[in-house]
């Protein structure tokens, strides 16, 4: 399924770039997370294909900080000609703009494509007394004042 999602996302992005004659020859794709992480690995995998099929030179840039908000904030002050693309996760786009001091607003961002989905999971040690989500909720009700 992951391969299918990547293929679909890659195809959509390549079609968008190939169809846009006014997009400059150089494309910067910004990873909001550190080198070696999921976002950077994803960009590293698709960048050569985007370069090949779109005929554009692709540069990967890493801008970390504030859970991805710093990278999205770099959209300000950069070219708006389609040559600068930032990757982010849903919380960066939806939740961060609601926080004080966030350098961007939700209405300032245009989503090109959803490329991957990363579920967040809760984990406990195998020796934990908690074995289900309802147990954790019940424990929280009994301890939060």
């Amino acid at each position: 399924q992951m391969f299918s999602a990547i293929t679909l996302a890659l195809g959509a992005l390549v079609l968008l770039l190939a169809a846009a004659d006014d997009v400059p020859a150089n494309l910067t794709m910004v990873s909001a997370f550190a080198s070696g992480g999921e976002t950077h690995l994803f960009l590293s995998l698709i960048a050569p294909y985007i370069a090949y099929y779109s005929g554009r030179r692709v540069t990967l840039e890493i801008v970390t900080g504030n859970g991805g908000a710093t990278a999205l904030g770099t959209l300000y002050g950069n070219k708006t000609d389609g040559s600068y693309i930032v990757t982010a996760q849903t919380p960066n786009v939806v939740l961060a703009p609601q926080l004080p001091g966030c350098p961007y607003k939700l209405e300032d961002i245009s989503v090109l494509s959803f490329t991957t989905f990363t579920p967040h999971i809760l984990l406990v040690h195998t020796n934990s007394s908690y074995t289900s989500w309802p147990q954790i909720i019940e424990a929280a009700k009994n301890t939060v004042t």
Side-chain angles (χ1 to χ4, degrees):
Q1 285 181 333
M2 177 62 100
F3 181 74
S4 297
I6 290 172
T7 303
L8 181 61
L10 175 61
L13 187 54
V14 167
L15 286 174
L16 282 170
L17 292 172
D21 292 330
D22 58 340
V23 175
N26 295 325
L27 173 65
T28 300
M29 296 179 68
V30 178
S31 172
F33 301 96
S35 178
E38 173 188 348
T39 303
H40 183 255
L41 288 173
F42 174 72
L43 290 179
S44 296
L45 285 172
I46 67 169
Y49 295 99
I50 291 172
Y52 179 80
Y53 288 107
S54 70
R56 289 164 169 75
R57 183 174 158 253
V58 178
T59 303
L60 297 182
E61 186 177 312
I62 298 171
V63 179
T64 61
N66 297 316
T70 301
L72 277 167
T74 65
L75 286 171
Y76 291 105
N78 273 294
K79 297 176 182 175
T80 58
D81 58 4
S83 65
Y84 194 84
I85 297 173
V86 177
T87 60
Q89 294 177 350
T90 307
N92 310 125
V93 176
V94 178
L95 299 177
Q98 299 177 45
L99 300 173
C102 185
Y104 58 92
K105 296 182 175 113
L106 187 56
E107 58 268 16
D108 297 329
I109 300 169
S110 292
V111 176
L112 293 178
S113 173
F114 282 93
T115 55
T116 59
F117 293 93
T118 305
H120 289 250
I121 58 174
L122 298 174
L123 305 169
V124 296
H125 191 278
T126 54
N127 294 334
S128 173
S129 61
Y130 300 112
T131 59
S132 69
W133 179 241
Q135 286 179 322
I136 293 172
I137 292 173
E138 193 58 37
K141 287 179 184 177
N142 295 328
T143 59
V144 175
T145 57

